[in-house]
Amino acid sequence: METQFELRHLTYFQNKNIFVGSCGPLRYRLAPKGDCIEVSAWKDDRCFEAQEAPEQTQVPISDEGLAEAVAWLKGRI
């Protein structure tokens, strides 16, 4: 079965909104930073702010960048 990540549309991130979600044990956060989206992932029931060192990457704020973010998140499951 294909793992689905339910992200918001590109305009959501272009308007500087932060998105937090989960998929099974994986928790993730996408936060716009300048012209990129910082993508964070962790496997703990604590919130992002309580994490000491979540895995992170940055992708461009674009449809391609969102696709990269999903691929990166799938690699963390």
Side-chain angles (χ1 to χ4, degrees):
M1 176 191 275
E2 176 86 17
T3 300
Q4 296 287 325
F5 285 92
E6 295 185 21
L7 301 182
R8 299 293 183 253
H9 293 284
L10 181 59
T11 55
Y12 182 86
F13 299 104
Q14 289 171 329
N15 288 312
K16 309 294 183 210
N17 294 300
I18 296 172
F19 181 76
V20 180
S22 65
C23 184
L26 184 71
R27 309 294 182 252
Y28 57 93
R29 177 180 186 263
L30 286 82
K33 299 260 178 155
D35 59 350
C36 294
I37 298 173
E38 184 176 81
V39 185
S40 304
W42 65 97
K43 290 185 178 178
D44 193 352
D45 284 334
R46 292 183 288 167
C47 66
F48 173 78
E49 292 77 14
Q51 297 306 306
E52 290 185 22
E55 291 184 68
Q56 294 184 321
T57 191
Q58 288 191 349
V59 299
I61 296 179
S62 65
D63 288 326
E64 295 81 11
L66 289 177
E68 287 179 42
V70 169
W72 186 82
L73 288 169
K74 285 181 179 180
R76 307 283 141 326
I77 294 179

PDB file of all heavy atoms in Angstrom, residues 8-18 31-37 60-63 66:
ATOM      1  N   ARG A   8      -0.778  20.443   2.518  1.00  0.00           N
ATOM      2  CA  ARG A   8      -1.587  21.531   1.972  1.00  0.00           C
ATOM      3  C   ARG A   8      -1.078  21.898   0.583  1.00  0.00           C
ATOM      4  O   ARG A   8       0.010  21.487   0.176  1.00  0.00           O
ATOM      5  CB  ARG A   8      -1.518  22.753   2.897  1.00  0.00           C
ATOM      6  CG  ARG A   8      -2.049  22.494   4.290  1.00  0.00           C
ATOM      7  CD  ARG A   8      -3.554  22.243   4.226  1.00  0.00           C
ATOM      8  NE  ARG A   8      -4.104  22.058   5.544  1.00  0.00           N
ATOM      9  CZ  ARG A   8      -4.502  20.892   6.026  1.00  0.00           C
ATOM     10  NH1 ARG A   8      -4.397  19.809   5.316  1.00  0.00           N
ATOM     11  NH2 ARG A   8      -5.016  20.813   7.229  1.00  0.00           N
ATOM     12  N   HIS A   9      -1.865  22.701  -0.121  1.00  0.00           N
ATOM     13  CA  HIS A   9      -1.473  23.158  -1.452  1.00  0.00           C
ATOM     14  C   HIS A   9      -0.342  24.177  -1.352  1.00  0.00           C
ATOM     15  O   HIS A   9      -0.095  24.759  -0.295  1.00  0.00           O
ATOM     16  CB  HIS A   9      -2.673  23.777  -2.176  1.00  0.00           C
ATOM     17  CG  HIS A   9      -3.731  22.765  -2.490  1.00  0.00           C
ATOM     18  ND1 HIS A   9      -3.607  21.864  -3.506  1.00  0.00           N
ATOM     19  CD2 HIS A   9      -4.916  22.512  -1.899  1.00  0.00           C
ATOM     20  CE1 HIS A   9      -4.679  21.093  -3.542  1.00  0.00           C
ATOM     21  NE2 HIS A   9      -5.491  21.464  -2.563  1.00  0.00           N
ATOM     22  N   LEU A  10       0.299  24.431  -2.463  1.00  0.00           N
ATOM     23  CA  LEU A  10       1.438  25.334  -2.529  1.00  0.00           C
ATOM     24  C   LEU A  10       1.131  26.712  -1.940  1.00  0.00           C
ATOM     25  O   LEU A  10       1.947  27.277  -1.209  1.00  0.00           O
ATOM     26  CB  LEU A  10       1.898  25.462  -3.988  1.00  0.00           C
ATOM     27  CG  LEU A  10       3.094  26.353  -4.253  1.00  0.00           C
ATOM     28  CD1 LEU A  10       4.309  25.875  -3.477  1.00  0.00           C
ATOM     29  CD2 LEU A  10       3.380  26.397  -5.741  1.00  0.00           C
ATOM     30  N   THR A  11      -0.041  27.253  -2.219  1.00  0.00           N
ATOM     31  CA  THR A  11      -0.380  28.597  -1.731  1.00  0.00           C
ATOM     32  C   THR A  11      -0.382  28.661  -0.201  1.00  0.00           C
ATOM     33  O   THR A  11      -0.105  29.702   0.375  1.00  0.00           O
ATOM     34  CB  THR A  11      -1.738  29.086  -2.265  1.00  0.00           C
ATOM     35  OG1 THR A  11      -2.738  28.125  -1.946  1.00  0.00           O
ATOM     36  CG2 THR A  11      -1.687  29.301  -3.762  1.00  0.00           C
ATOM     37  N   TYR A  12      -0.694  27.562   0.463  1.00  0.00           N
ATOM     38  CA  TYR A  12      -0.672  27.501   1.927  1.00  0.00           C
ATOM     39  C   TYR A  12       0.713  27.883   2.432  1.00  0.00           C
ATOM     40  O   TYR A  12       0.858  28.679   3.365  1.00  0.00           O
ATOM     41  CB  TYR A  12      -1.055  26.091   2.378  1.00  0.00           C
ATOM     42  CG  TYR A  12      -1.130  25.899   3.871  1.00  0.00           C
ATOM     43  CD1 TYR A  12      -2.301  26.189   4.562  1.00  0.00           C
ATOM     44  CD2 TYR A  12      -0.048  25.408   4.592  1.00  0.00           C
ATOM     45  CE1 TYR A  12      -2.383  25.999   5.942  1.00  0.00           C
ATOM     46  CE2 TYR A  12      -0.126  25.219   5.952  1.00  0.00           C
ATOM     47  CZ  TYR A  12      -1.292  25.515   6.623  1.00  0.00           C
ATOM     48  OH  TYR A  12      -1.369  25.330   7.986  1.00  0.00           O
ATOM     49  N   PHE A  13       1.748  27.321   1.811  1.00  0.00           N
ATOM     50  CA  PHE A  13       3.126  27.579   2.229  1.00  0.00           C
ATOM     51  C   PHE A  13       3.620  28.927   1.710  1.00  0.00           C
ATOM     52  O   PHE A  13       4.397  29.599   2.384  1.00  0.00           O
ATOM     53  CB  PHE A  13       4.033  26.436   1.781  1.00  0.00           C
ATOM     54  CG  PHE A  13       3.637  25.124   2.395  1.00  0.00           C
ATOM     55  CD1 PHE A  13       2.960  24.172   1.659  1.00  0.00           C
ATOM     56  CD2 PHE A  13       3.906  24.857   3.729  1.00  0.00           C
ATOM     57  CE1 PHE A  13       2.571  22.970   2.232  1.00  0.00           C
ATOM     58  CE2 PHE A  13       3.516  23.660   4.318  1.00  0.00           C
ATOM     59  CZ  PHE A  13       2.844  22.716   3.565  1.00  0.00           C
ATOM     60  N   GLN A  14       3.171  29.339   0.534  1.00  0.00           N
ATOM     61  CA  GLN A  14       3.534  30.658   0.007  1.00  0.00           C
ATOM     62  C   GLN A  14       3.019  31.777   0.915  1.00  0.00           C
ATOM     63  O   GLN A  14       3.604  32.849   0.967  1.00  0.00           O
ATOM     64  CB  GLN A  14       2.987  30.842  -1.407  1.00  0.00           C
ATOM     65  CG  GLN A  14       3.696  29.991  -2.435  1.00  0.00           C
ATOM     66  CD  GLN A  14       3.019  30.005  -3.789  1.00  0.00           C
ATOM     67  OE1 GLN A  14       1.794  30.142  -3.891  1.00  0.00           O
ATOM     68  NE2 GLN A  14       3.812  29.844  -4.836  1.00  0.00           N
ATOM     69  N   ASN A  15       1.949  31.499   1.643  1.00  0.00           N
ATOM     70  CA  ASN A  15       1.381  32.471   2.583  1.00  0.00           C
ATOM     71  C   ASN A  15       1.969  32.332   3.986  1.00  0.00           C
ATOM     72  O   ASN A  15       1.411  32.824   4.961  1.00  0.00           O
ATOM     73  CB  ASN A  15      -0.138  32.346   2.623  1.00  0.00           C
ATOM     74  CG  ASN A  15      -0.770  32.870   1.361  1.00  0.00           C
ATOM     75  OD1 ASN A  15      -0.431  33.962   0.906  1.00  0.00           O
ATOM     76  ND2 ASN A  15      -1.673  32.109   0.775  1.00  0.00           N
ATOM     77  N   LYS A  16       3.114  31.636   4.086  1.00  0.00           N
ATOM     78  CA  LYS A  16       3.907  31.537   5.326  1.00  0.00           C
ATOM     79  C   LYS A  16       3.240  30.751   6.445  1.00  0.00           C
ATOM     80  O   LYS A  16       3.482  30.997   7.623  1.00  0.00           O
ATOM     81  CB  LYS A  16       4.300  32.927   5.849  1.00  0.00           C
ATOM     82  CG  LYS A  16       4.942  33.826   4.816  1.00  0.00           C
ATOM     83  CD  LYS A  16       6.268  33.279   4.381  1.00  0.00           C
ATOM     84  CE  LYS A  16       6.917  34.247   3.382  1.00  0.00           C
ATOM     85  NZ  LYS A  16       7.751  33.579   2.429  1.00  0.00           N
ATOM     86  N   ASN A  17       2.400  29.775   6.087  1.00  0.00           N
ATOM     87  CA  ASN A  17       1.755  28.935   7.089  1.00  0.00           C
ATOM     88  C   ASN A  17       2.605  27.703   7.387  1.00  0.00           C
ATOM     89  O   ASN A  17       3.239  27.141   6.494  1.00  0.00           O
ATOM     90  CB  ASN A  17       0.374  28.489   6.600  1.00  0.00           C
ATOM     91  CG  ASN A  17      -0.567  29.650   6.475  1.00  0.00           C
ATOM     92  OD1 ASN A  17      -0.847  30.338   7.442  1.00  0.00           O
ATOM     93  ND2 ASN A  17      -1.063  29.896   5.269  1.00  0.00           N
ATOM     94  N   ILE A  18       2.587  27.255   8.625  1.00  0.00           N
ATOM     95  CA  ILE A  18       3.296  26.054   9.065  1.00  0.00           C
ATOM     96  C   ILE A  18       2.303  24.904   9.099  1.00  0.00           C
ATOM     97  O   ILE A  18       1.171  25.066   9.547  1.00  0.00           O
ATOM     98  CB  ILE A  18       3.921  26.271  10.460  1.00  0.00           C
ATOM     99  CG1 ILE A  18       4.988  27.362  10.380  1.00  0.00           C
ATOM    100  CG2 ILE A  18       4.494  24.973  11.011  1.00  0.00           C
ATOM    101  CD1 ILE A  18       5.534  27.776  11.726  1.00  0.00           C
ATOM    102  N   ALA A  31       7.717  24.132   7.421  1.00  0.00           N
ATOM    103  CA  ALA A  31       7.678  25.545   7.803  1.00  0.00           C
ATOM    104  C   ALA A  31       8.416  26.382   6.756  1.00  0.00           C
ATOM    105  O   ALA A  31       9.598  26.140   6.503  1.00  0.00           O
ATOM    106  CB  ALA A  31       8.321  25.740   9.171  1.00  0.00           C
ATOM    107  N   PRO A  32       7.738  27.347   6.140  1.00  0.00           N
ATOM    108  CA  PRO A  32       8.406  28.223   5.178  1.00  0.00           C
ATOM    109  C   PRO A  32       9.509  29.040   5.852  1.00  0.00           C
ATOM    110  O   PRO A  32       9.334  29.539   6.961  1.00  0.00           O
ATOM    111  CB  PRO A  32       7.291  29.145   4.686  1.00  0.00           C
ATOM    112  CG  PRO A  32       6.023  28.453   5.035  1.00  0.00           C
ATOM    113  CD  PRO A  32       6.317  27.658   6.254  1.00  0.00           C
ATOM    114  N   LYS A  33      10.648  29.133   5.181  1.00  0.00           N
ATOM    115  CA  LYS A  33      11.790  29.934   5.649  1.00  0.00           C
ATOM    116  C   LYS A  33      12.379  30.603   4.413  1.00  0.00           C
ATOM    117  O   LYS A  33      13.045  29.946   3.618  1.00  0.00           O
ATOM    118  CB  LYS A  33      12.860  29.054   6.298  1.00  0.00           C
ATOM    119  CG  LYS A  33      12.405  28.287   7.499  1.00  0.00           C
ATOM    120  CD  LYS A  33      12.826  28.964   8.755  1.00  0.00           C
ATOM    121  CE  LYS A  33      12.297  28.159   9.926  1.00  0.00           C
ATOM    122  NZ  LYS A  33      13.006  28.296  11.107  1.00  0.00           N
ATOM    123  N   GLY A  34      12.092  31.867   4.218  1.00  0.00           N
ATOM    124  CA  GLY A  34      12.575  32.573   3.027  1.00  0.00           C
ATOM    125  C   GLY A  34      11.942  31.992   1.773  1.00  0.00           C
ATOM    126  O   GLY A  34      10.724  31.881   1.676  1.00  0.00           O
ATOM    127  N   ASP A  35      12.769  31.538   0.837  1.00  0.00           N
ATOM    128  CA  ASP A  35      12.242  30.954  -0.397  1.00  0.00           C
ATOM    129  C   ASP A  35      12.265  29.424  -0.371  1.00  0.00           C
ATOM    130  O   ASP A  35      12.182  28.777  -1.405  1.00  0.00           O
ATOM    131  CB  ASP A  35      13.000  31.484  -1.615  1.00  0.00           C
ATOM    132  CG  ASP A  35      14.491  31.184  -1.562  1.00  0.00           C
ATOM    133  OD1 ASP A  35      14.971  30.736  -0.500  1.00  0.00           O
ATOM    134  OD2 ASP A  35      15.174  31.395  -2.581  1.00  0.00           O
ATOM    135  N   CYS A  36      12.403  28.851   0.838  1.00  0.00           N
ATOM    136  CA  CYS A  36      12.420  27.398   1.014  1.00  0.00           C
ATOM    137  C   CYS A  36      11.379  26.964   2.041  1.00  0.00           C
ATOM    138  O   CYS A  36      10.811  27.783   2.752  1.00  0.00           O
ATOM    139  CB  CYS A  36      13.790  26.930   1.500  1.00  0.00           C
ATOM    140  SG  CYS A  36      15.108  27.171   0.317  1.00  0.00           S
ATOM    141  N   ILE A  37      11.161  25.665   2.082  1.00  0.00           N
ATOM    142  CA  ILE A  37      10.349  25.056   3.139  1.00  0.00           C
ATOM    143  C   ILE A  37      11.284  24.155   3.936  1.00  0.00           C
ATOM    144  O   ILE A  37      11.958  23.297   3.364  1.00  0.00           O
ATOM    145  CB  ILE A  37       9.193  24.213   2.568  1.00  0.00           C
ATOM    146  CG1 ILE A  37       8.236  25.080   1.747  1.00  0.00           C
ATOM    147  CG2 ILE A  37       8.436  23.507   3.704  1.00  0.00           C
ATOM    148  CD1 ILE A  37       7.159  24.283   1.019  1.00  0.00           C
ATOM    149  N   PRO A  60      12.621  23.788  -2.129  1.00  0.00           N
ATOM    150  CA  PRO A  60      12.081  25.062  -2.609  1.00  0.00           C
ATOM    151  C   PRO A  60      10.567  25.139  -2.420  1.00  0.00           C
ATOM    152  O   PRO A  60       9.886  24.117  -2.393  1.00  0.00           O
ATOM    153  CB  PRO A  60      12.438  25.079  -4.094  1.00  0.00           C
ATOM    154  CG  PRO A  60      13.008  23.761  -4.426  1.00  0.00           C
ATOM    155  CD  PRO A  60      13.187  22.973  -3.181  1.00  0.00           C
ATOM    156  N   ILE A  61      10.051  26.361  -2.294  1.00  0.00           N
ATOM    157  CA  ILE A  61       8.597  26.542  -2.232  1.00  0.00           C
ATOM    158  C   ILE A  61       8.086  26.487  -3.667  1.00  0.00           C
ATOM    159  O   ILE A  61       8.088  27.486  -4.390  1.00  0.00           O
ATOM    160  CB  ILE A  61       8.207  27.878  -1.560  1.00  0.00           C
ATOM    161  CG1 ILE A  61       8.655  27.892  -0.102  1.00  0.00           C
ATOM    162  CG2 ILE A  61       6.685  28.087  -1.628  1.00  0.00           C
ATOM    163  CD1 ILE A  61       8.330  29.179   0.638  1.00  0.00           C
ATOM    164  N   SER A  62       7.732  25.287  -4.091  1.00  0.00           N
ATOM    165  CA  SER A  62       7.225  25.039  -5.440  1.00  0.00           C
ATOM    166  C   SER A  62       6.529  23.686  -5.431  1.00  0.00           C
ATOM    167  O   SER A  62       6.654  22.919  -4.466  1.00  0.00           O
ATOM    168  CB  SER A  62       8.372  25.014  -6.463  1.00  0.00           C
ATOM    169  OG  SER A  62       9.237  23.922  -6.215  1.00  0.00           O
ATOM    170  N   ASP A  63       5.808  23.387  -6.500  1.00  0.00           N
ATOM    171  CA  ASP A  63       5.178  22.065  -6.594  1.00  0.00           C
ATOM    172  C   ASP A  63       6.241  20.967  -6.580  1.00  0.00           C
ATOM    173  O   ASP A  63       6.060  19.923  -5.949  1.00  0.00           O
ATOM    174  CB  ASP A  63       4.321  21.968  -7.860  1.00  0.00           C
ATOM    175  CG  ASP A  63       3.042  22.787  -7.760  1.00  0.00           C
ATOM    176  OD1 ASP A  63       2.479  22.885  -6.649  1.00  0.00           O
ATOM    177  OD2 ASP A  63       2.608  23.333  -8.785  1.00  0.00           O
ATOM    178  N   LEU A  66       7.461  20.478  -3.020  1.00  0.00           N
ATOM    179  CA  LEU A  66       6.531  19.682  -2.209  1.00  0.00           C
ATOM    180  C   LEU A  66       6.660  18.198  -2.541  1.00  0.00           C
ATOM    181  O   LEU A  66       6.597  17.351  -1.650  1.00  0.00           O
ATOM    182  CB  LEU A  66       5.095  20.159  -2.401  1.00  0.00           C
ATOM    183  CG  LEU A  66       4.766  21.518  -1.775  1.00  0.00           C
ATOM    184  CD1 LEU A  66       3.328  21.912  -2.092  1.00  0.00           C
ATOM    185  CD2 LEU A  66       4.998  21.507  -0.278  1.00  0.00           C
TER     186      LEU A  66
END
